[in-house]
Amino acid sequence: MSLIAIVGGTGLTELEGLHIRESRTVETRYGPPSAPLEFGRFGQQDVVFLARHGKGHRLPPHQVNYRANITALKAVGVTDIIAVNAVGGINPAMGAEALVVPDQIVDYTWGRDFTFAEEGNVLHVDFSFPYSDSLRASLLVAGKKASLQVHDGGVYAATQGPRLESAAEVNRLERDGCDIVGMTGMPEASLAREAGLNYACLALVVNMAAGRSDGIITMEEIERCLKTGMQNVRALLAAFLSQ
Ligand code: HPA
């Protein structure tokens, strides 16, 4: 039996259409997850929802307890995770409000608790293909059903934040082959892999990355894109969950 979790990021702290039956506070050996897990039904599907940054968006990307989040989801029987991430666009084809289902990731984060491996539990998981093919395919089918244009593939650059990048850093990310940039894709994806959970990302571009537009990046611009773009994310997720 599979059980899907949606990990909502910036702009998605709750899931419209999710009928919550239970909100459960889960403790893990790594501490509490970002928020209570919300158990509910969406259409015919059982779904677990977790707000990555906590209720009220309390936690900056480097202070999210990714290990507790993944551990809590696994403990309640989750098998598949759809991670929703707001990102900046590097590839000009992935402009504001674009939806992207990336197929690769480069990790630039540091200083985060990034693994379950420890003395006596040495893990070297394969991470050649960080995202689940079947979940990616289902997201793409859902995009079609919802009549949304979705980019199939792309490289997600996971940066440390919380500040945005310099223009030169974005140039470097582009030279590295990255298409979009966000702050929360790692270590979430690799911890899911270590935990044996299927994982895919649905990214919403909320700004062009630093140096890719005239002027600086403003929170007003990001919030405007979040507001309109998240409607499309919700529509895609609704189609995904009713498959
Ligand atoms: N850079 C990093 N993370 C982000 C961005 C960005 O430009 N936009 C939204 N999340």
Side-chain angles (χ1 to χ4, degrees), residues 5-52:
I6 309 284
V7 178
T10 305
L12 193 76
T13 51
E14 54 198 47
L15 200 59
E16 233 170 73
L18 178 70
H19 300 286
I20 300 169
R21 287 179 171 162
E22 187 193 349
S23 186
R24 201 184 301 170
T25 305
V26 181
E27 255 305 318
T28 78
R29 60 180 293 210
Y30 304 104
S34 300
L37 303 187
E38 292 184 335
F39 291 75
R41 264 185 103 72
F42 196 107
Q44 302 303 309
Q45 283 259 14
D46 284 323
V47 185
V48 180
F49 182 81
L50 173 61
R52 182 186 290 115

Side-chain angles (χ1 to χ4, degrees), residues 46-231:
D46 284 323
V47 185
V48 180
F49 182 81
L50 173 61
R52 182 186 290 115
H53 297 280
K55 290 284 169 196
H57 207 282
R58 297 171 296 120
L59 297 165
H62 65 291
Q63 287 183 341
V64 170
N65 191 338
Y66 297 94
R67 293 196 301 182
N69 288 354
I70 296 294
T71 301
L73 292 173
K74 185 171 167 117
V76 301
V78 164
T79 53
D80 300 87
I81 297 175
I82 301 298
V84 179
N85 302 79
V87 297
I90 301 172
N91 184 331
M94 298 174 188
E97 292 185 32
L99 292 169
V100 187
V101 177
D103 61 349
Q104 280 294 334
I105 197 161
V106 179
D107 186 9
Y108 300 93
T109 66
W110 50 272
R112 301 182 181 190
D113 287 325
F114 63 94
T115 180
F116 295 120
E118 56 189 14
E119 196 177 331
N121 180 27
V122 179
L123 292 166
H124 296 291
V125 293
D126 175 76
F127 202 52
S128 309
F129 305 102
Y131 301 109
S132 154
D133 271 345
S134 65
L135 284 181
R136 288 191 64 257
S138 300
L139 284 172
L140 294 167
V141 168
K144 281 216 174 78
K145 273 196 193 156
S147 305
L148 293 165
Q149 207 211 323
V150 182
H151 292 272
D152 174 2
V155 181
Y156 179 118
T159 55
Q160 177 68 357
R163 67 166 177 82
L164 295 161
E165 296 71 38
S166 71
E169 285 170 334
V170 171
N171 290 340
R172 171 185 167 220
L173 300 181
E174 183 175 48
R175 288 195 298 275
D176 284 356
C178 299
D179 296 295
I180 52 177
V181 51
M183 301 173 190
T184 49
M186 287 292 281
E188 199 173 85
S190 56
L191 286 167
R193 180 60 56 85
E194 285 189 356
L197 304 180
N198 301 316
Y199 183 95
C201 162
L202 174 60
L204 168 69
V205 178
V206 293
N207 59 279
M208 282 316 283
R212 298 304 155 108
S213 62
D214 302 332
I216 61 166
I217 299 164
T218 64
M219 281 316 288
E220 291 77 55
E221 167 192 0
I222 290 182
E223 269 153 26
R224 205 173 339 107
C225 279
L226 268 176
K227 219 175 181 170
T228 44
M230 276 300 161
Q231 295 306 324

